[in-house]
Each structure stands twice: as structure tokens, then as C-alpha cells.
Amino acid sequence: TLQKWVNREISNFDYLIQLNTMAGRTYNDLAQYPVFPWILRDYTSEELDLNNPAVFRDLSKPIGVVNEKNAKAVKEKYNFEDPLGIIDKFHYGTHYSNAAGVMHYLIRVEPFTTLHIQLQSGRFDCADRQFHSIPATWQALMDNPNDVKELIPEFFYFPEFLENQNGFNLGQLQISKELVNDVVLPKWAHSPEDFICKHRKALESEYVSAHLHEWIDLIFGYKQRGPAAVEALNVFY
């Protein structure tokens, strides 16, 4: 598989799916759901220019420190000593992939809607915590070193999860009073289908093809644990 990918006989998408499968990740287990990277950082421009390296996320860094400002807080957390010596050191107290995160992204489609409601003791979580906007989700990641969710494969092929086709009442945002309905898209996307198409193009772009191995090292490779993980600010609780 690796050789095929290097020779560009299979797409970046296919390679990531196969890596996830080999790592034991599966659509059948929300706690081990396939994980895909955030690949863009431009969610505000009118047009998305895939020839401009500046529109892409730095794939060599864990999502928690893509914003350089967060690195200090992350290092401090790691250097905090557990007085009882029970807890191993870590940079992040949450994980880049977990069941609640999968339900968060897929709340508008069953069976994830029902699973989310069960998780929240029989109702939807409050509107301000819902997945309601792609640009806002990215901004929250940049502002908060404790939010380290990567993406799920659906962001590259499944426009329906961005639409509230079932008309669920997901509540309204506290400050703007805006109703949470379809997911708010980046300005450069004119519909859910357009978002998926451009996002998939971005995944297969020259820039991502040249840098994807850096992210793979963090999630599936030698930077998962040990000294390389510490150096990369990539140690999870």
C-alpha cells in the first residue's frame, strides 16, 4: 500500500482509509472511528486558492499547537508534576478522536442523532456546544489548546451530514440568537456539495501529497509515543 501511495497509484483519501483500517480503526466502533486530518486553515476567503501554501494547515504539528500561541500552555501542562506520581505526563487531556467527537460532527444524521441524545441524558446538548459552523469550529481549535479534535472521513465525501435534513430542533445560540440548523460553510463553499468537492480536491492537492506523511507520523507513526512524541508536543493522556 505504501509503495502504491508513493507511486501515486492510490489517492491520499484511499491511503488514509487503508492506514486507519490497518490501525484497527473502523466505522463500527465510535471509540475507534477512522480519523482524518484538518488540512486547510483558510475558512474565510471568498475563493479557495489551492496553489497557495498559506491556505493549508501545518501537517507537521498536532492540531493543538498548529496555532503557535498554544504551544506554551501545552508545554506547561506537560511539565506539571503529578504530586502523587500516578499520572504520566501529557500535553493534552482529551483526544483527537473519540466517540463524543464523532457524534458531535454527525449529529444531524441517524443513528448519531439518537446516540448523541442518549449521551446527553435524553436531550440535545446546549446549542452553543453543537457543531454549527466550520469556520467557527476551526477558530475554536486555534483559540483553545484543550480542543484537539481532528476530522472524520465524512468531511471528504458526505455532504448530507452538513444539512439538517430531518429538521431537528438543535436550539439557538445564546449571544446571536441564531438557530442552529444547517452547518455554516466557509465563504468559498456555495453548498454542502461544493464544500465536499473543494475539500476533497484540497486533500488530493500537491501540497497535501507532499506533507501528509508528517501528519501520519503523528497519528500512526513514530511520533505517537516516546521521546519523538514529547518533542513533537504530541503526548495524550
Side-chain angles (χ1 to χ4, degrees):
T1 302
L2 175 61
Q3 216 37 62
K4 277 189 167 164
W5 178 60
V6 170
N7 298 340
R8 306 234 172 154
E9 289 164 23
I10 59 174
S11 67
N12 292 338
F13 181 88
D14 285 337
Y15 186 53
L16 285 172
I17 286 286
Q18 291 186 30
L19 274 180
N20 271 285
T21 304
M22 288 188 277
R25 291 185 165 273
T26 164
Y27 285 108
N28 299 325
D29 181 354
L30 292 187
Q32 290 292 333
Y33 208 76
V35 57
F36 267 55
W38 283 93
I39 51 171
L40 294 171
R41 65 173 176 210
D42 179 357
Y43 297 95
T44 52
S45 299
E46 301 284 341
E47 296 292 328
L48 180 64
D49 177 9
L50 294 178
N51 295 316
N52 176 5
V55 306
F56 293 96
R57 164 236 179 134
D58 182 345
L59 286 158
S60 70
K61 292 180 179 161
I63 195 69
V65 289
V66 165
N67 182 349
E68 203 48 54
K69 284 211 302 274
N70 293 337
K72 187 166 167 278
V74 164
K75 284 179 190 154
E76 279 170 6
K77 183 180 284 185
Y78 185 82
N79 291 324
F80 172 76
E81 287 290 340
D82 171 23
L84 300 174
I86 301 167
I87 299 173
D88 290 337
K89 295 175 151 208
F90 60 87
H91 291 118
Y92 312 102
T94 56
H95 204 245
Y96 52 77
S97 167
N98 58 37
V102 176
M103 291 179 229
H104 176 76
Y105 286 139
L106 294 176
I107 188 168
R108 291 163 178 79
V109 265
E110 290 289 15
F112 305 96
T113 313
T114 298
L115 289 167
H116 167 93
I117 289 170
Q118 285 168 356
L119 181 74
Q120 296 296 334
S121 322
R123 56 189 173 72
F124 284 116
D125 194 4
C126 81
D128 286 79
R129 285 203 291 266
Q130 304 295 16
F131 173 48
H132 79 97
S133 156
I134 293 170
T137 302
W138 175 255
Q139 199 47 53
L141 280 177
M142 291 304 96
D143 296 342
N144 178 4
N146 299 317
D147 187 356
V148 293
K149 275 195 293 295
E150 290 279 12
L151 297 182
I152 53 176
E154 282 80 355
F155 275 84
F156 300 93
Y157 67 82
F158 186 53
E160 285 79 0
F161 89 101
L162 297 167
E163 297 175 277
N164 186 12
Q165 292 184 348
N166 295 316
F168 294 122
N169 177 3
L170 300 170
Q172 60 182 158
L173 303 178
Q174 273 178 326
I175 295 173
S176 67
K177 297 293 179 242
E178 184 192 341
L179 282 178
V180 177
N181 191 22
D182 294 346
V183 176
V184 177
L185 303 171
K187 282 188 184 159
W188 46 257
H190 307 299
S191 66
E193 290 74 15
D194 188 44
F195 170 80
I196 295 289
C197 177
K198 287 173 177 162
H199 202 214
R200 181 71 171 262
K201 257 197 187 129
L203 178 63
E204 303 302 339
S205 68
E206 199 48 54
Y207 180 91
V208 173
S209 298
H211 293 276
L212 188 58
H213 67 279
E214 298 169 354
W215 182 82
I216 289 168
D217 286 340
L218 294 168
I219 306 293
F220 299 107
Y222 76 104
K223 293 184 179 176
Q224 286 178 81
R225 47 177 65 99
V230 176
E231 197 180 330
L233 305 182
N234 195 42
V235 180
F236 293 83
Y237 174 63

